[in-house]
Amino acid sequence: MPEFDSAGVPIAFLDEGEGEPILLIHGFASNREVNWVGPGWVETLTQAGRRVIALDNRGHGESGKPRDPAAYFAPVMAEDAGRLLDHLGLERADVMGYSMGARITAFLALAHPGRVRSVIFGGLGLGLVDGTGPWEPIVAALEAPSLEGIQHQTGRMFRRFAEQTGGDLEALAACMRSSRQTLSPEEVGRIDVPALVAVGSRDAIAGSAEELAALLPQGRALVIPNRDHMLAVGDKVYKAGVLEFLAARP
């Protein structure tokens, strides 16, 4: 896969299809293959006539893996996405992020409003504003000697997922320490582009899709029936809602 240099950190990405561009930003402990290729998103979007760009966030997949937590603040990771658009010569793109990727998408839209045509926040609702729970148990789980003995439910879930995706546990722990900045309701209100907030009805992490959508000037909510944080990613209702949203946005 191709890569580029983002202020000293190599960032791997894929670039497939033709048409209007959409940038995909994956979630914590995932990568472009797990979040977007495997669940069929790249195929779905390219078949719908879109050019699909998906990066491996720093600390993930085939991208560089700094060990310093300061390398993973959400605004820093948003600049990787912005530099990828620069690298490809794209002035503007639709942007869809899932979970941590949705947070990065929000910071990208605030820092570079002219670059973002629309936003899709998957797997992150009002948690963008009021937080998605404590990070310390997740870091402890990532740094534990093994999965055995980890009692915290969310920490255990992410440790298991990180092992399944072949993640670098040290880099992921550094990322978790720094990447969970929130935005104020006023800051969310400055994201004045078409916005879709898609969250599973059983997602105990993301927070309310409806409440975040209400803060966005052009926001609408999509509740994905009977899906939790992990299973919503590839859901057919989510895909259909995104295609409808993209077709309707100006």
Side-chain angles (χ1 to χ4, degrees):
M1 284 294 174
E3 66 177 42
F4 76 104
D5 182 277
S6 181
V9 178
I11 300 294
F13 66 95
L14 65 79
D15 182 359
E16 298 186 10
E18 297 178 355
E20 294 179 332
I22 181 167
L23 174 62
L24 308 181
I25 307 178
H26 67 76
F28 179 75
S30 190
N31 54 57
R32 66 185 188 274
E33 293 288 332
V34 171
N35 220 147
W36 306 121
V37 178
W41 274 108
V42 173
E43 180 181 14
T44 296
L45 291 165
T46 55
Q47 287 182 352
R50 303 278 166 176
R51 178 182 176 183
V52 179
I53 301 124
L55 76 164
D56 280 345
N57 289 313
R58 57 175 61 203
H60 299 73
E62 297 180 50
S63 290
K65 298 174 177 63
R67 296 297 194 261
D68 182 359
Y72 294 99
F73 288 113
V76 175
M77 298 179 78
E79 289 305 311
D80 291 334
R83 292 187 192 108
L84 177 53
L85 296 179
D86 291 339
H87 176 73
L88 296 174
L90 295 172
E91 293 184 4
R92 199 175 183 215
D94 299 291
V95 185
M96 175 164 67
Y98 196 84
S99 193
M100 180 185 73
R103 190 181 307 278
I104 294 168
T105 298
F107 277 87
L108 176 65
L110 279 176
H112 303 285
R115 311 296 301 276
V116 177
R117 185 171 183 177
S118 71
V119 295
I120 302 164
F121 298 143
L124 185 64
L126 197 64
L128 178 61
V129 174
D130 60 14
T132 55
W135 57 265
E136 294 90 348
I138 300 174
V139 170
L142 292 168
E143 294 180 336
S146 69
L147 185 63
E148 185 178 354
I150 298 173
Q151 300 298 318
H152 189 271
Q153 183 177 355
T154 302
R156 184 176 178 85
M157 177 184 74
F158 277 111
R159 172 61 181 262
R160 182 185 292 113
F161 184 57
E163 291 184 355
Q164 290 171 345
T165 59
D168 183 313
L169 298 180
E170 186 178 351
L172 291 175
C175 179
M176 179 54 63
R177 283 188 164 93
S178 303
S179 63
R180 289 157 65 96
Q181 286 82 52
T182 58
L183 294 176
S184 69
E186 293 74 21
E187 288 172 318
V188 172
R190 295 193 346 240
I191 304 174
D192 193 3
V193 294
L196 179 67
V197 184
V199 173
S201 65
R202 297 182 179 177
D203 192 327
I205 296 173
S208 168
E210 296 93 339
E211 290 182 53
L212 180 62
L215 296 175
L216 291 155
Q218 302 182 55
R220 52 173 282 203
L222 171 64
V223 177
I224 306 164
N226 300 314
R227 295 299 190 188
D228 63 16
H229 193 71
M230 294 298 186
L231 293 179
V233 177
D235 187 87
K236 62 182 181 180
V237 173
Y238 181 18
K239 291 193 181 84
V242 167
L243 292 179
E244 178 186 354
F245 169 78
L246 290 172
R249 63 102 177 89

